[in-house]
Amino acid sequence: MSTSLSPLLAPMLSSAAMRAVCDDQETLQHMLDFEAALARAEAATGVIPASAAEPIAKACKADGFDLADLAEAATHSGNLAIPLVKALTAKVAQSDAEAARYVHWGATSQDVIDTAAMLGLRAGIDALLGDIDRAVTGFARLARQHRSTAMVARTWLQHALPMPFGLKLAEYAAALHRAKRRLQRMRQDTLALQFGGAAGTLAALGDKGLVVAEQLAQNLELPLPDAPWHTHRDRIAEAASVLAILSGTCGKIARDVSLMMQTDVAEAFEPAGDGRGGSSTMPHKRNPVAAATMAPGLAATICAAQVGDHERSAGPWHAEWPTLPMLQLVTSGALAAIVDIAEGLEVDAARMRVNLDATHGLMMAEAVTFALAEKIGKNDAHHLIEAASKKAVAGKQHLRDVLKADAKVTAHLSADRIEKLFEPMAYQGVAQALIDRLLASLDEK
């Protein structure tokens, strides 16, 4: 289990796939993958003897190292790479003393740690992409199913206008799809090998630094940047930002659903089942909102770590180590919960219709105002409908009935016309076209 989250809380706040990615043993393996790839790259380019590569690579198995011992040694060295390289050298020496001389040749601790972070991010992105696809598919299906289901659009938590529930669902799908595209762009353009040696010049490798770097990048299947980026942390900060935005998207969807689950609203519900909260008054799933609350602070810590010192910082870099995996974990937990919602949301369309009538027609005041404005002008129409609305509230009447009894209104709008103006789905503007546009945006280009 990664030390970034308590073993007690991790299953609730993260996905199993991301816990595997961020597991300490896996993180250690990513560091060892760098060392194995480095040895092979340097052997292939003639920097170290060809015979040294395989003994080093064979020793680069995480299960051959004691995590507790490495952790304790790191408290004295200042980072995990230093004791790991020492332990790896000793392990290689057990089988080939000559090969042990070339462990970690020309590299520095930051090369190991940063490249391992890139490998962890790549695996984490792949885990997230699968869940995003499921969530997008689920919400798109629901959007098509409910494109004619009328519900209340709420602004400032108050009833505003009618809208098709399918529009809200299509917006969820599109927002998650945009998050997918960000992750894909980051995987392609932001992740990169870090290999610079002691000060970013690869001086220990002489004139073969770039040749080794090219081979190393190829071995690890990571892009080779124009130069080492050890002192510029924008790559890590960008990753944190993309993860935080995804968490926020998940949190927004979850907040909407939790509000729709309120007893007095009761329009939609998270999927029920064994082990889940069975009452609409006690929604059990809080991971998306928790992640949306935690993620910005974690991302802020990583962004603050950009302000480093010269060619290696004395502190800010270290703050990234526990923070980035924690951000990956909580983001995965938020998304996993959203997948559950997308694939199992329970919708009460009848209740949505009841809620549309809760304000006794006041929600349709704008529709009537604009219909009347075509006859008498917007200003006069506004005053007439405003007065009628106040009368409806005072008399606890339906606005439609007040309007039908008002000669100033019926002089321009027939009773049948007024009746039709109070049909919610007759006043949805271009909502159906927007649903089509949003669903079309999900198609991969």
Side-chain angles (χ1 to χ4, degrees), residues 261 270-280 282-285:
M261 286 176 66
E270 291 175 330
D274 293 341
R276 296 173 181 262
S279 169
S280 64
M282 295 180 288
H284 73 287
K285 189 93 65 181

Side-chain angles (χ1 to χ4, degrees), residues 116-139:
M118 293 288 106
L119 296 174
L121 274 170
R122 183 172 67 188
I125 289 170
D126 291 343
L128 292 172
L129 288 173
D131 276 351
I132 286 183
D133 281 340
R134 289 176 59 191
V136 169
T137 298
F139 282 127

